[in-house]
Amino acid sequence: MKQDIYDRTVSYIVENQEKFYRLAYSYVGDRDSALDVVQNAVCKGLEGCYGLKNPNALKTWFYRIVVNESLQYLRKNRREKVSADGELPEQIYEEPAYEREREVYEAVQKLQEPMKTVIVLHFYEELTLKQIAEVTDTNLNTVKSRLYSALGKLEKSLKEAAV
């Protein structure tokens, strides 16, 4: 049985070696590095094939090994690049979600003070409504009313800003 799974793994790897190379190359972007990744994946696959419980899952199992090896190579390569240069490579990174988060924060800042306080304490400081009522020395129903009113105003102002 063990020899059967080993032989099956070997034949699967040989039949699909080009696919594995293309997958590794799509991650690492370098011919030699992709070959190294596939070689490491093959070694791990052949060493670990005896633990494979479902031989029908051979395809997904080995693809996962190739992806994990590619990611491991990228992590290792990034560390080596940083330590060789002494500094991180300069990259421009734009986060679309950050722009939206800033818009929301600015809209919160424009709210009237009692509503702004409830929003900041609830969403930014993660206090419960009961805790907010205690902090602001306000009735719980008043806090709820301010919260829902503030959310309505925020929704309206953010929709207007999006148009």
Side-chain angles (χ1 to χ4, degrees):
M1 179 67 182
K2 284 188 175 188
Q3 187 61 36
D4 181 45
I5 191 70
Y6 183 84
D7 292 340
R8 201 167 165 183
T9 304
V10 169
S11 71
Y12 177 73
I13 291 170
V14 170
E15 290 169 11
N16 297 287
Q17 60 187 336
E18 286 140 14
K19 291 179 184 178
F20 303 137
Y21 168 76
R22 279 195 308 269
L23 177 63
Y25 186 84
S26 72
Y27 276 91
V28 299
D30 178 62
R31 181 182 183 279
D32 294 330
S33 300
L35 290 171
D36 289 343
V37 165
V38 172
Q39 181 180 2
N40 290 342
V42 168
C43 290
K44 282 194 177 183
L46 293 177
E47 289 171 0
C49 70
Y50 300 113
L52 188 62
K53 292 179 175 78
N54 181 2
N56 295 329
L58 182 63
K59 178 179 180 177
T60 55
W61 173 76
F62 196 76
Y63 267 94
R64 187 174 304 126
I65 292 173
V66 174
V67 169
N68 288 338
E69 283 297 310
S70 299
L71 294 173
Q72 184 177 352
Y73 174 83
L74 289 174
R75 282 190 297 271
K76 180 183 173 198
N77 190 39
R78 180 176 37 227
R79 278 195 304 264
E80 288 176 358
K81 219 181 239 185
V82 169
S83 61
D85 297 40
E87 27 181 282
L88 288 169
E90 207 172 302
Q91 296 175 347
I92 296 174
Y93 178 73
E94 294 181 19
E95 179 64 52
Y98 176 75
E99 184 65 30
R100 186 68 176 164
E101 192 174 304
R102 188 176 55 77
E103 290 174 19
V104 171
Y105 182 76
E106 288 174 359
V108 167
Q109 295 304 312
K110 293 177 184 175
L111 290 172
Q112 295 172 353
E113 192 56 42
M115 289 184 212
K116 178 175 138 181
T117 301
V118 171
I119 293 290
V120 169
L121 290 176
H122 187 63
F123 291 104
Y124 292 93
E125 301 299 324
E126 300 178 354
L127 269 64
T128 65
L129 296 179
K130 185 177 179 181
Q131 291 170 326
I132 294 170
E134 291 171 6
V135 167
T136 59
D137 196 26
T138 311
N139 184 318
L140 179 60
N141 289 329
T142 304
V143 171
K144 289 178 183 178
S145 173
R146 288 176 181 167
L147 175 66
Y148 296 127
S149 177
L151 289 174
K153 289 184 180 202
L154 284 173
E155 180 182 22
K156 183 179 176 186
S157 109
L158 290 171
K159 279 184 180 178
E160 288 173 0
V163 174

